[in-house]
Amino acid sequence: MRYSQLFTKTIKEAPADETAKNAQLLIRAGYIHKEMAGVYSYLPLGKIVLDNIAQIVREEINAIGGSEVELSILQPKDIWEKTDRWDDEKVDNWFKSTLKNGTEVGISLTNEEQLANALRSFISSYQDLPVYIYQIQKKFRNELRAKSGLMRGREFLMKDLYSFSRSQKEHDEFYEKAATAYKKIYGRLGIGDITYRTYASGGIFSKYSDEFQTLSDVGEDTIYIDERKKIAVNKEVFNDEVLRELGLKKDELVEKPAVEVGNIFSLGTKYADALDVHYMDEKGSRNSIIMGSYGFGISRMMGLLAEHFADENGIIWPESIAPFKVYLAVFGADNTVLKQAEKLYEDLQKSGVEVLFDDRDVRPGEKFADADLIGCPHRVVVSEKSLKVGGVEYKKRDFDKSQIMKTDELHKQLA
RNA sequence: CGGGGAUUGGCGCAGUUGGCUAGCGCGCGCGCUUUGGGAGCGCGAGGUCGCCGGUUCGAGUCCGGCAUCCCCGACCA
């Protein structure tokens, strides 16, 4: 993409109404636009990053048998009444609206009811199960207090997966598979080393749920980590009895702030039973369906990554999710130089390298500053100076020094 | 929802005990000079000072109410 075609513009000073680093960086670099507290629009660069994160999640969930769907955002009230989650006393962060004819509808904040209910049309036999259904879609939650930029919004992008199993054993096996898939995702996003599977409060059907917590100073959660075992316990369930049960020793644990970047739950038969969805087994008797839900905040992850992968000059995206692999700048308005840059831009694209080509007629300093702020992992400069010494100038975003390369060498470097 | 802070051109800010035509920096447009880490000079465009009401000869400034934003706390099935 050509920089000159970008809809956005970088700004030097962070807006005064944001104090969260992730929001400041993403707004300054032109990734997002704030609409109101806790609600952001994604601009061209931001949309690409969001899609890149979603794609990694999609690939790993598909790999464990997930089927992607897109559920409606408007939801009927009656299914929520069946599970007793419609009342504002029970769930206080609903957005609700009313149709012209007076019918109340809910605006999607999660989808257990909806999906379990839809299952009735398609699941009747043990031969139809298990199924693993997920979507990557906006969620709306009427948070009392949105905060920390993308970390806690009222509208956010989430991957939500729901498993429907025939037995506890079948459920448990998938649950572990999902946990493994999550680990792979964090690895691909570059935060595998600071993300911990964490015991958290479970609910009715299991003592614990599993959260994935990434260490971060902006985290809302406090976790206790056992570095040797690579697991952690959320403060909300932290006590002597729990530690004994989990075989953890208090003096081996380290307390750290963390961000919840995933949460997997066993839901037992509560939802399917409440919505009266069952399956027939081999012997012809009706059985309950066991559910699990597996959340992953895509937009929150974008905020976390921007916050984590950054220095004083801007963002440093991991290659796996960067909007473009390369920031290519051309200096000066000399025709020969411009032609060389254009050619390099085309050649790189032909070989499948995503390039943001800064074709603006602005001074070098501004291009350097924008390159750092936007944070593509590789920077290439074509200039009279570089051509004179035989090539182009290459620098990794997180390196101090650049080097001169011939273009074929550069192609190899970026391959 | 409790507490604290804020709201003045697109962005960041100043504006004294109420007083002339509301300023500055960035950004934007034009011109000239520049051209390797957000250039310099000049000219210029752009603001019903968050909204409603009140006090006053006169309100960005004082008073009341409301809205919005940020932070702390509570909340986060």
Side-chain angles (χ1 to χ4, degrees), chain A residues 31 36 44 57 59 102 133 140 184 234 289 360 362 389 400:
Chain A
Y31 284 80
M36 58 179 103
V57 174
E59 286 168 15
I133 304 170
F140 300 86
K184 280 189 195 164
N234 194 312
I289 296 174
R360 295 172 301 166
V362 300
V389 290
D400 285 339

Side-chain angles (χ1 to χ4, degrees), chain A residues 185-221:
Chain A
I185 294 168
Y186 301 121
R188 290 179 65 181
L189 294 172
I191 52 170
D193 54 331
I194 51 166
T195 303
Y196 295 85
R197 184 166 172 178
T198 303
Y199 288 94
S201 59
I204 316 166
F205 288 93
S206 61
K207 184 150 189 189
Y208 305 108
S209 70
D210 286 273
E211 288 175 348
F212 290 85
Q213 294 274 1
T214 302
L215 300 186
S216 170
D217 290 337
V218 295
E220 293 184 325
D221 289 300

Side-chain angles (χ1 to χ4, degrees), chain A residues 376-394:
Chain A
C376 299
H378 306 273
R379 188 186 81 192
V380 176
V381 173
V382 179
S383 66
E384 203 172 336
K385 199 167 143 188
S386 77
L387 293 176
K388 235 178 230 167
V389 290
V392 300
E393 185 181 311
Y394 168 79

Side-chain angles (χ1 to χ4, degrees), chain A residues 96-309:
Chain A
K96 293 175 182 172
S97 189
T98 310
L99 303 183
K100 295 282 188 197
N101 67 7
T103 305
E104 284 183 284
V105 293
I107 294 169
S108 183
L109 45 55
T110 184
N111 301 69
E112 284 86 358
E113 280 80 353
Q114 196 180 7
L115 202 50
N117 188 56
L119 232 60
R120 193 200 323 277
S121 309
F122 312 110
I123 304 293
S124 39
S125 155
Y126 70 95
Q127 298 176 82
D128 299 327
L129 290 171
V131 287
Y132 311 115
I133 304 170
Y134 76 100
Q135 62 171 348
I136 293 171
Q137 197 192 44
K138 285 277 175 76
K139 295 280 176 287
F140 300 86
R141 295 187 187 179
N142 204 342
E143 297 284 351
L144 238 36
R145 183 183 162 207
K147 59 175 191 168
S148 307
L150 294 187
M151 311 296 266
R152 176 176 286 279
R154 298 202 163 90
E155 174 182 327
F156 54 95
L157 190 64
M158 182 177 178
K159 185 279 299 172
D160 47 326
L161 164 68
Y162 305 91
S163 68
F164 299 88
S165 305
R166 291 170 291 193
S167 66
Q168 191 60 45
K169 181 167 176 285
E170 193 169 80
H171 168 78
D172 291 345
E173 281 170 14
F174 183 76
Y175 190 91
E176 281 309 311
K177 260 191 180 173
T180 306
Y182 270 50
K183 276 195 179 155
K184 280 189 195 164
I185 294 168
Y186 301 121
R188 290 179 65 181
L189 294 172
I191 52 170
D193 54 331
I194 51 166
T195 303
Y196 295 85
R197 184 166 172 178
T198 303
Y199 288 94
S201 59
I204 316 166
F205 288 93
S206 61
K207 184 150 189 189
Y208 305 108
S209 70
D210 286 273
E211 288 175 348
F212 290 85
Q213 294 274 1
T214 302
L215 300 186
S216 170
D217 290 337
V218 295
E220 293 184 325
D221 289 300
T222 303
I223 63 171
Y224 296 87
I225 305 161
D226 184 319
E227 272 296 350
R228 220 161 26 87
K229 294 184 178 168
K230 288 279 166 203
I231 56 172
V233 181
N234 194 312
K235 192 175 186 176
E236 66 187 22
V237 297
F238 185 79
N239 61 45
D240 291 340
E241 195 197 319
V242 167
L243 292 185
R244 202 176 322 118
E245 199 179 297
L246 300 174
L248 297 171
K249 293 205 179 86
K250 212 171 208 167
D251 54 356
E252 289 175 0
L253 302 177
V254 192
E255 181 186 310
K256 295 247 171 95
V259 175
E260 185 189 328
V261 291
N263 191 193
I264 64 180
F265 270 101
S266 291
L267 300 173
T269 60
K270 177 183 171 183
Y271 293 98
D273 281 354
L275 290 156
D276 200 24
V277 184
H278 298 84
Y279 76 94
M280 196 79 84
D281 68 15
E282 298 91 322
K283 290 165 191 151
S285 51
R286 262 160 74 92
N287 274 285
S288 288
I289 296 174
I290 296 172
M291 260 180 92
S293 78
Y294 313 76
F296 184 109
I298 308 270
S299 47
R300 172 181 282 183
M301 179 56 71
M302 179 169 160
L304 175 76
L305 293 173
E307 186 116 9
H308 181 68
F309 294 109

